[in-house]
Coordinates of all heavy atoms in Angstrom, one line a residue:
C150 N 23.8 -3.8 3.2 CA 24.6 -4.9 3.1 C 23.7 -6.1 2.9 O 22.8 -6.3 3.7 CB 25.5 -5.1 4.3 SG 26.5 -6.6 4.3
Q151 N 23.9 -6.9 1.8 CA 23.2 -8.1 1.6 C 24.1 -9.3 1.5 O 25.2 -9.2 0.8 CB 22.3 -8.0 0.4 CG 21.2 -7.0 0.5 CD 20.3 -7.1 -0.7 OE1 20.3 -8.0 -1.5 NE2 19.4 -6.1 -0.8
K152 N 23.7 -10.4 2.0 CA 24.6 -11.6 2.0 C 23.7 -12.8 2.2 O 22.8 -12.8 3.0 CB 25.6 -11.5 3.1 CG 26.5 -12.7 3.0 CD 27.6 -12.7 4.1 CE 28.5 -13.9 3.9 NZ 29.5 -14.0 4.9
K153 N 23.9 -13.8 1.4 CA 23.2 -15.1 1.6 C 23.7 -15.7 2.9 O 24.9 -15.8 3.1 CB 23.5 -16.0 0.4 CG 22.7 -17.3 0.5 CD 22.9 -18.1 -0.8 CE 22.1 -19.4 -0.6 NZ 22.1 -20.2 -1.8
M154 N 22.8 -16.1 3.7 CA 23.1 -16.6 5.0 C 22.9 -18.1 5.1 O 22.0 -18.6 4.6 CB 22.2 -15.9 6.0 CG 22.4 -14.4 6.1 SD 24.0 -13.9 6.7 CE 23.8 -14.2 8.5
P155 N 23.8 -18.7 5.8 CA 23.7 -20.2 6.0 C 22.6 -20.5 7.0 O 22.4 -19.7 7.9 CB 25.1 -20.6 6.5 CG 25.6 -19.3 7.2 CD 25.0 -18.2 6.4
K156 N 22.0 -21.6 6.8 CA 20.9 -22.0 7.8 C 21.5 -22.6 9.1 O 21.0 -22.3 10.1 CB 20.0 -23.1 7.1 CG 19.2 -22.6 6.0 CD 18.4 -23.7 5.4 CE 17.6 -23.2 4.2 NZ 16.7 -24.2 3.6
V157 N 22.6 -23.3 9.0 CA 23.2 -23.9 10.1 C 23.8 -23.0 11.1 O 23.6 -23.0 12.3 CB 24.3 -25.0 9.7 CG1 24.9 -25.6 10.9 CG2 23.6 -26.0 8.8
S158 N 24.6 -22.0 10.6 CA 25.4 -21.1 11.5 C 24.9 -19.7 11.4 O 25.7 -18.7 11.4 CB 26.9 -21.2 11.2 OG 27.1 -20.9 9.9
Y159 N 23.6 -19.5 11.2 CA 23.0 -18.2 10.9 C 23.4 -17.1 12.0 O 23.9 -16.1 11.7 CB 21.5 -18.3 10.8 CG 20.8 -16.9 10.6 CD1 20.6 -16.5 9.3 CD2 20.4 -16.1 11.6 CE1 20.1 -15.3 9.0 CE2 19.9 -14.9 11.4 CZ 19.7 -14.5 10.1 OH 19.1 -13.2 9.8
T160 N 23.2 -17.5 13.2 CA 23.4 -16.5 14.3 C 24.9 -16.1 14.4 O 25.2 -14.9 14.5 CB 23.0 -17.1 15.7 OG1 21.6 -17.3 15.6 CG2 23.3 -16.1 16.8
D161 N 25.8 -17.1 14.3 CA 27.2 -16.7 14.3 C 27.6 -15.9 13.1 O 28.4 -14.9 13.2 CB 28.1 -18.0 14.3 CG 27.9 -18.8 15.6 OD1 27.6 -18.2 16.6 OD2 28.1 -20.0 15.5
E162 N 27.1 -16.2 11.9 CA 27.4 -15.4 10.7 C 26.8 -14.0 10.8 O 27.5 -13.0 10.5 CB 26.9 -16.1 9.5 CG 27.3 -15.5 8.2 CD 28.7 -15.6 7.8 OE1 29.4 -16.5 8.4 OE2 29.2 -14.8 7.0
F163 N 25.6 -13.9 11.3 CA 25.0 -12.6 11.5 C 25.8 -11.7 12.5 O 26.1 -10.6 12.2 CB 23.6 -12.8 12.1 CG 22.8 -11.5 12.3 CD1 22.1 -10.9 11.3 CD2 22.8 -10.9 13.6 CE1 21.4 -9.7 11.5 CE2 22.1 -9.7 13.8 CZ 21.4 -9.1 12.7
K164 N 26.2 -12.3 13.6 CA 27.1 -11.5 14.6 C 28.4 -11.1 13.9 O 28.8 -10.0 14.2 CB 27.3 -12.4 15.8 CG 26.1 -12.6 16.7 CD 26.5 -13.6 17.8 CE 25.3 -13.9 18.7 NZ 25.7 -14.9 19.7
S165 N 29.0 -12.0 13.1 CA 30.2 -11.6 12.5 C 30.1 -10.4 11.6 O 30.9 -9.5 11.5 CB 30.7 -12.9 11.7 OG 31.9 -12.5 11.0
I166 N 29.0 -10.5 10.8 CA 28.8 -9.3 9.8 C 28.5 -8.0 10.6 O 29.1 -7.0 10.2 CB 27.5 -9.7 8.9 CG1 27.9 -10.8 8.0 CG2 27.1 -8.4 8.2 CD1 26.7 -11.4 7.3
I167 N 27.8 -8.1 11.7 CA 27.5 -6.9 12.4 C 28.7 -6.4 13.1 O 29.0 -5.2 13.1 CB 26.4 -7.1 13.5 CG1 25.1 -7.5 12.8 CG2 26.2 -5.9 14.4 CD1 24.6 -6.6 11.7
R168 N 29.6 -7.2 13.6 CA 30.8 -6.8 14.2 C 31.7 -6.0 13.2 O 32.3 -5.0 13.5 CB 31.6 -8.0 14.8 CG 31.0 -8.5 16.1 CD 31.9 -9.6 16.7 NE 31.2 -10.1 17.9 CZ 30.7 -11.3 18.0 NH1 30.6 -12.1 17.0 NH2 30.1 -11.7 19.2
V169 N 31.8 -6.6 12.0 CA 32.6 -5.9 10.9 C 32.0 -4.5 10.6 O 32.7 -3.5 10.5 CB 32.6 -6.8 9.6 CG1 33.2 -6.0 8.5 CG2 33.5 -8.0 9.9
L170 N 30.6 -4.5 10.4 CA 30.0 -3.2 10.1 C 30.1 -2.2 11.2 O 30.3 -1.0 11.0 CB 28.5 -3.4 9.8 CG 28.2 -4.1 8.5 CD1 26.7 -4.5 8.4 CD2 28.6 -3.3 7.3
K171 N 30.1 -2.7 12.4 CA 30.3 -1.8 13.6 C 31.7 -1.2 13.5 O 31.8 0.0 13.8 CB 30.1 -2.6 14.8 CG 30.0 -1.8 16.1 CD 29.6 -2.6 17.3 CE 29.6 -1.8 18.5 NZ 29.2 -2.5 19.7
L172 N 32.7 -1.9 13.2 CA 34.0 -1.4 13.2 C 34.3 -0.5 11.9 O 34.8 0.6 12.0 CB 35.0 -2.6 13.2 CG 35.2 -3.3 14.4 CD1 36.1 -4.5 14.2 CD2 35.8 -2.4 15.5
E173 N 33.8 -1.0 10.8 CA 34.1 -0.3 9.5 C 33.2 0.9 9.3 O 33.6 1.9 8.7 CB 34.0 -1.3 8.3 CG 35.1 -2.3 8.3 CD 35.0 -3.3 7.2 OE1 34.0 -3.2 6.4 OE2 35.9 -4.2 7.1
E174 N 32.0 0.8 9.7 CA 31.0 1.8 9.4 C 30.5 2.6 10.6 O 29.6 3.5 10.5 CB 29.8 1.2 8.7 CG 30.1 0.4 7.4 CD 30.7 1.3 6.3 OE1 30.4 2.5 6.2 OE2 31.5 0.8 5.5
S175 N 30.9 2.2 11.8 CA 30.5 2.8 13.0 C 29.0 2.8 13.3 O 28.5 3.7 13.8 CB 31.1 4.3 13.1 OG 32.5 4.3 13.0
I176 N 28.4 1.7 12.8 CA 26.9 1.6 13.1 C 26.7 1.4 14.6 O 27.5 0.8 15.3 CB 26.3 0.5 12.2 CG1 26.8 -0.9 12.6 CG2 26.5 0.8 10.7 CD1 26.0 -2.0 12.0
E177 N 25.5 1.9 15.0 CA 25.2 1.8 16.4 C 23.9 1.1 16.6 O 23.5 0.7 17.7 CB 25.0 3.2 17.0 CG 26.4 4.0 17.0 CD 26.2 5.4 17.5 OE1 25.1 5.8 18.0 OE2 27.2 6.1 17.4
G178 N 23.1 0.8 15.5 CA 21.8 0.1 15.6 C 21.5 -0.6 14.4 O 22.2 -0.4 13.3
I179 N 20.5 -1.4 14.5 CA 20.0 -2.2 13.3 C 18.5 -2.1 13.3 O 17.8 -2.3 14.3 CB 20.4 -3.7 13.5 CG1 21.9 -3.9 13.9 CG2 20.0 -4.5 12.3 CD1 22.2 -5.3 14.3
I180 N 18.0 -1.9 12.1 CA 16.6 -1.8 11.8 C 16.1 -3.1 11.4 O 16.6 -3.7 10.4 CB 16.2 -0.7 10.8 CG1 16.7 0.7 11.3 CG2 14.7 -0.7 10.5 CD1 16.6 1.8 10.3
F181 N 15.0 -3.6 12.0 CA 14.4 -4.9 11.7 C 13.0 -4.6 11.3 O 12.3 -3.7 11.8 CB 14.4 -5.8 12.9 CG 15.8 -6.2 13.4 CD1 16.4 -5.5 14.3 CD2 16.4 -7.4 12.9 CE1 17.7 -5.8 14.8 CE2 17.6 -7.8 13.3 CZ 18.3 -7.0 14.3
G182 N 12.5 -5.4 10.3 CA 11.1 -5.2 9.8 C 10.1 -6.1 10.5 O 9.0 -6.2 10.0
D183 N 10.5 -6.7 11.6 CA 9.6 -7.7 12.2 C 8.3 -7.0 12.7 O 8.3 -5.8 13.2 CB 10.3 -8.3 13.4 CG 11.4 -9.2 12.9 OD1 12.5 -8.6 12.7 OD2 11.2 -10.4 12.6
I184 N 7.2 -7.7 12.7 CA 5.9 -7.2 13.1 C 5.4 -7.9 14.4 O 4.9 -7.3 15.3 CB 4.8 -7.4 12.0 CG1 5.3 -6.7 10.7 CG2 3.5 -6.9 12.4 CD1 4.5 -7.0 9.5
F185 N 5.6 -9.2 14.4 CA 5.3 -10.0 15.6 C 6.1 -11.2 15.6 O 7.0 -11.4 14.8 CB 3.8 -10.3 15.6 CG 3.3 -11.0 14.3 CD1 3.3 -12.3 14.1 CD2 2.7 -10.2 13.3 CE1 2.9 -12.9 13.0 CE2 2.2 -10.7 12.2 CZ 2.3 -12.1 12.0
L186 N 5.9 -12.1 16.5 CA 6.7 -13.3 16.8 C 7.7 -13.0 17.9 O 8.8 -12.6 17.7 CB 7.3 -13.9 15.6 CG 7.9 -15.3 15.8 CD1 6.8 -16.3 16.2 CD2 8.5 -15.9 14.5
K187 N 7.2 -13.1 19.1 CA 8.0 -12.8 20.3 C 9.3 -13.5 20.4 O 10.3 -13.0 20.7 CB 7.1 -13.2 21.5 CG 7.8 -12.9 22.8 CD 7.8 -11.5 23.3 CE 8.2 -11.3 24.7 NZ 9.6 -11.0 24.9
E188 N 9.3 -14.8 19.9 CA 10.6 -15.6 20.0 C 11.7 -14.9 19.1 O 12.8 -14.9 19.5 CB 10.4 -17.0 19.5 CG 9.5 -17.8 20.4 CD 8.0 -17.6 20.2 OE1 7.6 -16.8 19.3 OE2 7.2 -18.1 21.0
H189 N 11.3 -14.4 18.0 CA 12.3 -13.7 17.1 C 12.7 -12.4 17.7 O 13.9 -12.1 17.7 CB 11.7 -13.5 15.7 CG 12.8 -13.1 14.7 ND1 13.9 -13.9 14.4 CD2 12.9 -11.9 14.0 CE1 14.6 -13.2 13.6 NE2 14.1 -12.1 13.3
K190 N 11.8 -11.7 18.3 CA 12.2 -10.4 18.9 C 13.1 -10.7 20.1 O 14.1 -9.9 20.3 CB 10.9 -9.6 19.4 CG 11.3 -8.3 20.0 CD 10.1 -7.5 20.4 CE 10.5 -6.1 20.9 NZ 11.5 -6.1 22.0
D191 N 12.8 -11.7 20.8 CA 13.8 -12.1 21.9 C 15.2 -12.4 21.4 O 16.2 -12.0 22.0 CB 13.2 -13.3 22.7 CG 12.0 -13.0 23.5 OD1 11.7 -11.8 23.7 OD2 11.3 -14.0 23.9
W192 N 15.2 -13.1 20.2 CA 16.5 -13.3 19.6 C 17.2 -12.0 19.2 O 18.4 -11.8 19.5 CB 16.3 -14.2 18.4 CG 17.6 -14.5 17.6 CD1 18.5 -15.5 17.9 CD2 18.1 -13.8 16.5 NE1 19.5 -15.5 17.0 CE2 19.4 -14.4 16.2 CE3 17.7 -12.7 15.8 CZ2 20.2 -14.0 15.1 CZ3 18.5 -12.2 14.7 CH2 19.7 -12.9 14.4
I193 N 16.5 -11.1 18.6 CA 17.0 -9.8 18.2 C 17.5 -9.1 19.4 O 18.7 -8.6 19.4 CB 15.9 -9.0 17.5 CG1 15.6 -9.6 16.1 CG2 16.3 -7.5 17.4 CD1 14.3 -9.0 15.5
D194 N 16.7 -9.0 20.4 CA 17.2 -8.3 21.6 C 18.4 -8.9 22.2 O 19.3 -8.2 22.6 CB 16.0 -8.3 22.7 CG 14.8 -7.4 22.3 OD1 15.0 -6.5 21.4 OD2 13.8 -7.7 22.8
S195 N 18.5 -10.2 22.3 CA 19.6 -10.9 22.8 C 20.9 -10.7 22.0 O 22.0 -10.3 22.6 CB 19.4 -12.4 22.9 OG 20.5 -13.1 23.3
V196 N 20.8 -10.8 20.7 CA 22.0 -10.6 19.8 C 22.4 -9.1 19.9 O 23.6 -8.9 20.0 CB 21.6 -11.0 18.4 CG1 22.7 -10.6 17.4 CG2 21.5 -12.5 18.3
C197 N 21.5 -8.2 19.8 CA 21.9 -6.8 19.9 C 22.5 -6.4 21.2 O 23.5 -5.6 21.2 CB 20.7 -5.9 19.6 SG 20.2 -5.9 17.8
R198 N 22.0 -7.0 22.3 CA 22.6 -6.7 23.6 C 24.0 -7.2 23.6 O 24.9 -6.5 24.1 CB 21.7 -7.3 24.7 CG 22.0 -7.0 26.1 CD 21.0 -7.5 27.1 NE 20.4 -8.8 26.8 CZ 19.2 -9.0 26.4 NH1 18.4 -7.9 26.1 NH2 18.7 -10.2 26.1
E199 N 24.2 -8.4 23.1 CA 25.5 -9.0 23.1 C 26.5 -8.2 22.3 O 27.7 -8.0 22.6 CB 25.5 -10.4 22.5 CG 26.8 -11.1 22.5 CD 26.7 -12.5 21.9 OE1 25.6 -13.2 22.0 OE2 27.7 -13.0 21.3
L200 N 26.0 -7.6 21.2 CA 26.9 -6.8 20.3 C 26.9 -5.3 20.6 O 27.5 -4.5 19.9 CB 26.4 -7.0 18.8 CG 26.5 -8.4 18.3 CD1 25.8 -8.5 16.9 CD2 27.9 -8.9 18.2
D201 N 26.2 -4.9 21.7 CA 26.1 -3.5 22.1 C 25.5 -2.7 20.9 O 26.1 -1.7 20.6 CB 27.4 -3.0 22.6 CG 27.3 -1.6 23.3 OD1 26.2 -1.4 23.9 OD2 28.3 -0.8 23.2
M202 N 24.4 -3.2 20.4 CA 23.7 -2.5 19.3 C 22.3 -2.2 19.7 O 21.7 -2.8 20.5 CB 23.7 -3.4 18.0 CG 25.0 -3.8 17.5 SD 25.9 -2.4 16.8 CE 24.9 -1.9 15.5
E203 N 21.8 -1.1 19.1 CA 20.4 -0.7 19.4 C 19.5 -1.4 18.4 O 19.6 -1.1 17.2 CB 20.3 0.8 19.3 CG 18.9 1.3 19.6 CD 18.5 1.2 21.0 OE1 19.4 1.3 21.9 OE2 17.3 1.1 21.3
P204 N 18.5 -2.2 18.8 CA 17.6 -2.8 17.9 C 16.4 -1.8 17.7 O 15.9 -1.2 18.6 CB 17.1 -4.1 18.6 CG 17.2 -3.7 20.1 CD 18.4 -2.8 20.2
V205 N 16.1 -1.6 16.4 CA 15.0 -0.7 16.1 C 14.0 -1.5 15.3 O 14.3 -2.1 14.3 CB 15.6 0.5 15.2 CG1 14.4 1.4 14.8 CG2 16.7 1.2 15.9
L206 N 12.8 -1.5 15.9 CA 11.7 -2.3 15.3 C 10.5 -1.4 15.1 O 9.5 -1.4 15.8 CB 11.3 -3.5 16.2 CG 12.4 -4.6 16.3 CD1 13.1 -4.4 17.6 CD2 11.8 -5.9 16.1
P207 N 10.5 -0.5 14.0 CA 9.5 0.5 13.9 C 8.1 -0.1 13.6 O 7.1 0.6 13.9 CB 10.0 1.3 12.7 CG 10.9 0.4 11.9 CD 11.5 -0.5 13.0
R208 N 8.0 -1.3 13.1 CA 6.7 -1.8 12.8 C 6.2 -2.9 13.9 O 5.2 -3.5 13.7 CB 6.7 -2.5 11.5 CG 7.0 -1.5 10.4 CD 6.5 -2.0 9.0 NE 6.9 -1.2 7.9 CZ 6.4 0.0 7.6 NH1 5.4 0.5 8.3 NH2 6.8 0.6 6.5
W209 N 7.0 -3.0 15.0 CA 6.7 -4.1 15.9 C 5.3 -3.8 16.5 O 4.9 -2.7 16.9 CB 7.7 -4.0 17.1 CG 7.4 -5.1 18.1 CD1 7.0 -5.0 19.3 CD2 7.6 -6.5 17.9 NE1 6.8 -6.2 19.9 CE2 7.2 -7.2 19.1 CE3 8.0 -7.3 16.8 CZ2 7.2 -8.5 19.2 CZ3 8.0 -8.7 17.0 CH2 7.7 -9.3 18.2
N210 N 4.5 -4.9 16.5 CA 3.1 -4.9 17.0 C 2.1 -4.0 16.3 O 1.1 -3.7 16.8 CB 3.0 -4.6 18.5 CG 3.3 -5.8 19.3 OD1 3.1 -7.0 18.9 ND2 3.7 -5.6 20.5
M211 N 2.5 -3.5 15.1 CA 1.6 -2.7 14.3 C 0.5 -3.6 13.7 O 0.7 -4.8 13.5 CB 2.3 -2.0 13.1 CG 3.1 -0.8 13.5 SD 3.9 0.0 12.1 CE 2.4 0.7 11.3
D212 N -0.6 -3.0 13.5 CA -1.7 -3.7 12.8 C -1.3 -4.1 11.4 O -1.0 -3.2 10.6 CB -3.0 -2.8 12.8 CG -4.2 -3.4 12.3 OD1 -4.1 -4.2 11.3 OD2 -5.3 -3.1 12.7
T213 N -1.3 -5.4 11.1 CA -0.9 -5.8 9.8 C -1.8 -5.2 8.6 O -1.3 -5.0 7.5 CB -0.9 -7.3 9.7 OG1 -2.1 -7.9 10.0 CG2 0.2 -7.9 10.6
E214 N -3.0 -5.0 8.9 CA -3.9 -4.4 7.9 C -3.5 -3.0 7.6 O -3.4 -2.6 6.4 CB -5.4 -4.4 8.4 CG -6.3 -4.0 7.3 CD -7.8 -4.2 7.7 OE1 -8.1 -5.1 8.5 OE2 -8.6 -3.4 7.2
K215 N -3.1 -2.2 8.6 CA -2.6 -0.9 8.4 C -1.3 -0.9 7.6 O -1.0 0.0 6.7 CB -2.4 -0.1 9.7 CG -3.7 0.3 10.4 CD -3.4 1.0 11.6 CE -4.7 1.4 12.3 NZ -4.5 2.1 13.6
I216 N -0.4 -1.8 7.9 CA 0.8 -1.9 7.1 C 0.6 -2.2 5.7 O 1.1 -1.6 4.8 CB 1.7 -3.0 7.7 CG1 2.2 -2.6 9.1 CG2 2.9 -3.3 6.8 CD1 2.9 -3.7 9.9
L217 N -0.3 -3.2 5.4 CA -0.7 -3.5 4.0 C -1.3 -2.3 3.3 O -1.0 -2.0 2.2 CB -1.6 -4.7 4.0 CG -2.1 -5.2 2.6 CD1 -0.8 -5.6 1.8 CD2 -3.0 -6.4 2.7
D218 N -2.2 -1.6 4.0 CA -2.8 -0.4 3.4 C -1.8 0.6 3.1 O -1.9 1.3 2.0 CB -3.9 0.2 4.4 CG -5.1 -0.6 4.5 OD1 -5.4 -1.5 3.6 OD2 -5.9 -0.4 5.5
G219 N -0.8 0.8 3.9 CA 0.3 1.7 3.6 C 1.1 1.3 2.4 O 1.4 2.2 1.6
F220 N 1.3 0.1 2.2 CA 2.0 -0.4 1.0 C 1.2 -0.1 -0.3 O 1.7 0.4 -1.3 CB 2.4 -1.9 1.0 CG 3.5 -2.2 1.8 CD1 3.4 -3.1 2.9 CD2 4.8 -1.6 1.6 CE1 4.5 -3.4 3.7 CE2 5.9 -2.0 2.3 CZ 5.8 -2.8 3.4
I221 N -0.1 -0.4 -0.2 CA -1.0 -0.1 -1.3 C -1.1 1.3 -1.6 O -1.0 1.7 -2.8 CB -2.4 -0.8 -1.0 CG1 -2.3 -2.3 -0.9 CG2 -3.4 -0.3 -2.0 CD1 -3.5 -3.0 -0.4
E222 N -1.2 2.2 -0.6 CA -1.3 3.6 -0.8 C 0.0 4.2 -1.4 O -0.1 5.1 -2.2 CB -1.6 4.3 0.5 CG -3.0 4.1 1.0 CD -3.2 4.7 2.4 OE1 -2.4 5.5 2.9 OE2 -4.3 4.3 3.0
D223 N 1.1 3.6 -1.0 CA 2.4 4.1 -1.5 C 2.6 3.8 -3.0 O 3.2 4.6 -3.7 CB 3.6 3.5 -0.7 CG 3.7 4.2 0.7 OD1 3.1 5.3 0.9 OD2 4.4 3.7 1.5
D224 N 2.1 2.6 -3.4 CA 2.4 2.2 -4.8 C 1.4 1.1 -5.2 O 1.6 -0.1 -5.1 CB 3.8 1.6 -4.9 CG 4.2 1.3 -6.3 OD1 3.4 1.5 -7.2 OD2 5.3 0.7 -6.5
P225 N 0.2 1.6 -5.7 CA -0.8 0.6 -6.1 C -0.3 -0.3 -7.2 O -0.9 -1.4 -7.4 CB -1.9 1.5 -6.7 CG -1.6 2.9 -6.2 CD -0.2 2.9 -5.9
A226 N 0.7 0.0 -7.9 CA 1.2 -0.9 -9.0 C 1.8 -2.2 -8.4 O 2.0 -3.2 -9.1 CB 2.3 -0.2 -9.8
R227 N 2.1 -2.2 -7.1 CA 2.6 -3.4 -6.5 C 1.7 -4.6 -6.5 O 2.0 -5.7 -6.4 CB 3.0 -3.2 -5.1 CG 4.2 -2.3 -5.0 CD 4.6 -2.1 -3.5 NE 5.6 -1.0 -3.4 CZ 6.3 -0.8 -2.3 NH1 6.1 -1.5 -1.3 NH2 7.2 0.1 -2.3
L228 N 0.4 -4.3 -6.6 CA -0.6 -5.4 -6.6 C -0.6 -6.0 -7.9 O -0.9 -7.0 -8.3 CB -2.0 -4.8 -6.3 CG -2.1 -4.2 -4.9 CD1 -3.5 -3.6 -4.7 CD2 -1.8 -5.2 -3.8

């Protein structure tokens, strides 16, 4: 699902979208691509807890150089 998000009411709009997806698609978790920034992870954890969703952050605290190397190895044409 992709949607342009408003800057002013981002959190409310995000929660609304997740609530709809939870009802219509029976989703139980959300995958986030965040690597670092504790404040944002705290926001993710708080919102997911409120919505009874499982936050999945597979790249959290990964070495950014290893992530970049992985992208390069997967598709050198991206450079």
Side-chain angles (χ1 to χ4, degrees):
C150 176
Q151 291 186 13
K152 181 178 180 184
K153 186 174 180 173
M154 298 294 283
K156 292 180 183 179
V157 177
S158 59
Y159 180 89
T160 298
D161 292 334
E162 187 69 19
F163 181 85
K164 289 176 185 179
S165 176
I166 291 168
I167 298 306
R168 285 184 182 109
V169 169
L170 288 171
K171 190 173 178 180
L172 288 173
E173 293 179 357
E174 305 294 332
S175 300
I176 65 170
E177 298 176 4
I179 308 169
I180 298 173
F181 295 89
D183 296 86
I184 301 168
F185 52 87
L186 191 56
K187 177 80 168 94
E188 293 82 6
H189 190 62
K190 185 177 183 306
D191 291 345
W192 178 86
I193 290 169
D194 291 340
S195 173
V196 168
C197 286
R198 189 172 35 257
E199 180 180 332
L200 298 172
D201 193 28
M202 298 295 294
E203 179 70 30
V205 180
L206 294 101
R208 300 200 186 283
W209 183 252
N210 276 337
M211 282 183 70
D212 182 325
T213 54
E214 188 173 331
K215 287 182 182 179
I216 293 171
L217 181 58
D218 287 345
F220 282 122
I221 294 168
E222 289 173 14
D223 285 346
D224 186 2
R227 290 182 188 194
L228 298 178

